[in-house]
Amino acid sequence: MSITAWIALVVVVAVVWALIKRWETRMVLIASGLFLCIISWDFLSGLNSMANSMVNKSLVQAICASMGFAFAAKYTRCDSSLVHYLASPIRGLGIFLLPVCTVITFFVNIAIPSAAGCAAAVGSTLIPVMLRAGIKPAAAAAAVLGGTIGSYLSPGTSHNPYVANMAGMDVMTFIGTHATYSVMIGVISAVGILIVCFFMGDHKGDKNATVDESKLKKEDADFVPNPIAALVPLVPITLLLVGNLWVEEIKMGVAPAMTIGAICALAVARVNPQTFTKEFFNGMGKGYADVMGIIIAAGVFAAGLKSAGLIDSFVTALKESNEIARWGGSIGPYLMGIITGSGDAATLAFNETVTPHAKDFGMTIEGLGGLAFLAGAAGRTASPIAGVTILVSGIAMVSPIEVVKRTVLPMTISVILCAILMV
């Protein structure tokens, strides 16, 4: 390798260290990428990558519209209505509340693609239900956490339009390529958490178990569930599925489907349209700042690695054995997800730099890209420092370490099976 490639390798280690220390992800990636471009005498490469990512039509539309809809569903309490009606029939199931709550969270997370947003909506309702049923707090929190893998079946999740665009296919078509494996992880999560919790005696209850009332939704006292509002979060997903699978006349993109869903939320909830509009666009802005921001930063970092020559060296090594790519694209993002609490940065960097070359070592872009982001999500679900883990642990008033003790084994099994089956 060249001198710049060796320097790039040191920079990668420094980036991992910075992410472990919880430094601002976008700052770390952009600064590292521009530094590598400078020492490679290719400064404009990083800036051009940033500029191109800023106006990526398919990504901006899907991500910003989905976050706008998520904010609209939260403001109108449509998400709370959906959780209420899903949770009502399950009381009295004992320890079997655990897999049922995981499945409910998985299902809701498809409609509400934000893991933290979904966990807040579901956890504030289901965790108290599980505690009253005699389930220990750590198990209750783990059941909700284990279901947050469901977002990867949502067309609004950043990785779906990102890899689909790279593979040159429609978002829904790409989701179809990994849907079986996403559902498989959901099943392993539900069954695995149940088995682990059973052997840990979590069904024997905890007399001192309680929830942190300050973390529950303050407006719950005034909340009146609406069965029609409960259907609103399902509108965009339904439109996309029906349009892509059965009715060609209503086939549409992610952004139009999410906008229609938001309009339905406004019509059903009959809230102040001015405030509603502000919330929708606040969500769109949040989506650009938080989600697109990481994608843009990962692109700059990838440009730096390319300019330094590290990517060419890495791809050459991968061509000699697809086993390196198989396990590098699964175990790598998985471990980074656990260590950093976020699977996004590592997954996006991998998919930006390595996945475009998938065909060179006998794989498909959609297969390797899907494997990387599912592994990253599994790592986040097994991480004690992930935002969603801290959130559900806070509601259940238990240590995050105790929660991930119940999710790490199912997630590890899931990643190994995906690595074997997906590519």
Side-chain angles (χ1 to χ4, degrees):
M1 294 195 300
S2 64
I3 294 177
T4 54
W6 282 109
I7 295 174
L9 197 59
V10 174
V11 169
V12 169
V13 174
V15 167
V16 172
W17 178 85
L19 293 177
I20 293 172
K21 290 294 185 179
R22 312 288 284 178
W23 288 16
E24 162 57 40
T25 302
R26 291 162 293 188
M27 179 200 73
V28 170
L29 294 176
I30 290 175
S32 302
L34 291 179
F35 169 74
L36 291 174
C37 288
I38 290 172
I39 66 170
S40 303
W41 299 98
D42 192 20
F43 183 60
L44 286 179
S45 176
L47 297 180
N48 288 333
S49 175
M50 176 181 283
N52 292 333
S53 297
M54 283 179 178
V55 292
N56 189 307
K57 180 180 177 181
S58 59
L59 293 179
V60 173
Q61 286 185 359
I63 292 168
C64 292
S66 297
M67 286 296 288
F69 173 69
F71 269 53
K74 180 180 179 181
Y75 173 65
T76 57
R77 304 303 308 277
C78 291
D79 59 349
S80 296
S81 289
L82 175 61
V83 174
H84 172 83
Y85 286 108
L86 288 174
S88 295
I90 67 174
R91 293 174 173 83
L93 292 178
I95 192 173
F96 291 102
L97 271 172
L98 291 171
V100 171
C101 289
T102 300
V103 171
I104 289 175
T105 307
F106 184 92
F107 178 71
V108 173
N109 204 196
I110 298 174
I112 307 172
S114 166
C118 171
V122 174
S124 61
T125 299
L126 294 185
I127 289 177
V129 169
M130 286 186 276
L131 296 187
R132 286 193 292 267
I135 292 172
K136 290 184 179 179
V144 174
L145 176 62
T148 56
I149 200 79
S151 63
Y152 288 87
L153 285 174
S154 171
T157 297
S158 60
H159 299 282
N160 280 321
Y162 185 78
V163 180
N165 183 58
M166 188 186 303
M169 59 175 57
D170 180 76
V171 175
M172 296 304 294
T173 303
F174 171 64
I175 292 175
T177 66
H178 68 76
T180 301
Y181 306 104
S182 296
V183 172
M184 178 188 75
I185 295 177
V187 172
I188 293 173
S189 179
V191 176
I193 290 172
L194 171 64
I195 294 173
V196 172
C197 290
F198 177 80
F199 281 104
M200 296 184 74
D202 290 332
H203 57 294
K204 297 177 182 179
D206 183 348
K207 294 180 180 179
N208 299 318
T210 185
V211 294
D212 186 348
E213 298 291 339
S214 68
K215 289 184 170 61
L216 300 183
K217 293 187 176 180
K218 296 180 180 179
E219 59 267 63
D220 277 350
D222 303 322
F223 172 60
V224 178
N226 182 331
I228 299 178
L231 299 175
V232 170
L234 308 179
V235 169
I237 303 297
T238 302
L239 287 173
L240 290 169
L241 284 175
V242 173
N244 279 273
L245 297 179
W246 299 296
V247 185
E248 182 72 22
E249 289 75 15
I250 64 169
K251 184 176 181 178
M252 64 184 73
V254 175
M258 296 296 171
T259 304
I260 292 174
I263 294 171
C264 291
L266 175 61
V268 170
R270 291 176 293 179
V271 293
N272 185 321
Q274 296 188 81
T275 307
F276 175 87
T277 303
K278 291 178 182 178
E279 286 295 319
F280 180 79
F281 281 97
N282 283 341
M284 291 184 68
K286 185 76 170 173
Y288 195 95
D290 290 355
V291 183
M292 279 300 302
I294 294 180
I295 292 175
I296 292 168
V300 176
F301 181 57
L305 294 177
K306 290 176 183 176
S307 296
L310 183 60
I311 298 304
D312 290 338
S313 299
F314 190 48
V315 170
T316 300
L318 290 178
K319 287 180 180 178
E320 297 176 3
S321 173
N322 70 348
E323 291 303 309
I324 300 176
R326 179 193 305 276
W327 298 109
S330 54
I331 301 301
Y334 178 61
L335 292 178
M336 282 298 296
I338 293 176
I339 293 171
T340 65
S342 170
D344 287 345
T347 301
L348 287 168
F350 183 91
N351 279 339
E352 175 77 23
T353 56
V354 179
T355 300
H357 304 280
K359 293 181 181 179
D360 292 336
F361 28 91
M363 298 179 179
T364 62
I365 291 176
E366 59 270 24
L368 185 57
L371 172 63
F373 80 71
L374 285 178
R380 182 262 299 158
T381 309
S383 173
I385 61 174
V388 63
T389 304
I390 294 171
L391 189 152
V392 295
S393 301
I395 295 175
M397 298 183 70
V398 66
S399 166
I401 295 292
E402 290 299 316
V403 176
V404 299
K405 283 181 181 179
R406 292 150 173 85
T407 61
V408 67
L409 181 59
M411 291 301 105
T412 302
I413 294 172
S414 297
V415 170
I416 293 172
L417 287 177
C418 284
I420 294 172
L421 299 174
M422 285 187 71
V423 293

